[in-house]
Amino acid sequence: MKKPARHPAITLAGSPRIARNALRIALFVGTLLNLINQGPRVWAGEPVSWLHLLLNYLVPFCVATYSAVKNELSRRPPPAPDPLKP
């Protein structure tokens, strides 16, 4: 049985180059967001919100991945028409 083809966006999102770049962006932006959003709590000795900490890294990772994939797909030539389709 033939495996269904993955969408090119999924393949690109998992590529090492895009994932590595998105991770670097997420670490930088996520750290800044955590300092802005939770810095006063940390300096006051209060506990941090782990959900917000996670989201502050996850959202920039997703945005960076999405924009890199969208950019890569826009640079590709359109696929050739399928001769079997009417």
Side-chain angles (χ1 to χ4, degrees):
M1 187 166 155
K2 189 177 177 183
K3 247 176 124 173
R6 288 186 356 188
H7 193 279
I10 302 296
T11 304
L12 279 172
S15 71
R17 183 176 57 86
I18 288 180
R20 192 172 37 250
N21 190 44
L23 183 60
R24 285 185 17 232
I25 291 169
L27 288 173
F28 180 76
V29 174
T31 300
L32 286 178
L33 288 172
N34 276 309
L35 287 173
I36 292 167
N37 294 330
Q38 300 196 74
R41 296 183 87 189
V42 171
W43 289 305
E46 298 173 10
V48 297
S49 167
W50 292 102
L51 175 63
H52 290 121
L53 185 130
L54 175 67
L55 289 174
N56 282 336
Y57 287 103
L58 182 62
V59 170
F61 179 83
C62 292
V63 170
T65 301
Y66 173 80
S67 62
V69 168
K70 195 81 165 148
N71 184 44
E72 286 290 324
L73 290 176
S74 72
R75 293 172 179 248
R76 289 184 174 186
D82 188 353
L84 299 177
K85 287 188 179 179

